[in-house]
Amino acid sequence: MKAATDMGQQFLAQGTARLVPGLDLFMRTLRVYFAVDNCYVKTKIGRVLFPFTKRNWARMQTDPVSGQALTTVSYATPIQDDNAYDLYIPLMALITYVLLCALCYGTAGEFNPEVLPDVTTKCFVTQ
C-alpha cells in the first residue's frame, strides 16, 4: 500500500512540473512569504492594530550564504522577524472578506455560486 502511495505522490509531483513549466520555482519563491506561525500572526496583527507601541520597524538581516555576493542583502523570514513581509495575513483577510460577503448574500436570500468570484474580482480590481 505504501509503495502505491509513494508512486502516486511521485507521479503527481512530476506531472505538475511537466504541465506547468516554472511552477516549482514559483512555489519555492512564494514559500518564504507564507512561512509564518501562530506567534508571528498574533504579533503582526498587534503591530497593525497598535503601531504606536513599537518603535523598531527595521528589517532583520541575515548573514550572506557562502557563494552569494557580499553586496546582496538577505532578510530573515517572517518566523524570525516580526517586520518581515508576508502574504499569509493579506490572503486570509481576502478569503475571510469573500466568505463574509457570501454569508451576507446568503442571509439576504440572494446567494448563488457566482458571488464568490464576483466579490474576489471586485476586491482585486478596486485594490
Side-chain angles (χ1 to χ4, degrees), residues 12-119:
L12 286 175
Q14 291 175 352
T16 56
R18 278 184 292 176
L19 291 175
V20 182
L23 179 67
D24 188 42
L25 177 64
F26 180 70
M27 295 304 286
R28 277 189 271 137
T29 304
L30 280 181
R31 187 174 296 151
V32 175
Y33 296 107
F34 288 96
V36 299
D37 59 354
N38 291 341
C39 182
Y40 172 79
V41 172
K42 288 191 317 189
T43 306
K44 189 71 167 197
I45 289 175
R47 278 190 163 215
V48 169
L49 293 176
F50 306 106
F52 49 85
T53 60
K54 300 290 183 183
R55 301 222 183 263
N56 182 15
W57 290 91
R59 295 276 316 268
M60 186 182 351
Q61 295 182 1
T62 59
D63 296 329
V65 179
S66 62
Q68 249 185 352
L70 292 175
T71 58
T72 304
V73 177
S74 61
Y75 294 104
T77 60
I79 291 177
Q80 302 161 343
D81 184 13
D82 291 338
N83 295 322
Y85 301 123
D86 70 287
L87 292 176
Y88 178 80
I89 294 174
L91 181 65
M92 289 301 116
L94 174 70
I95 291 171
T96 303
Y97 177 75
V98 169
L99 291 177
L100 283 175
C101 285
L103 180 69
C104 290
Y105 277 106
T107 56
E110 300 174 2
F111 179 78
N112 63 3
E114 292 293 322
V115 167
L116 299 174
D118 288 344
V119 170

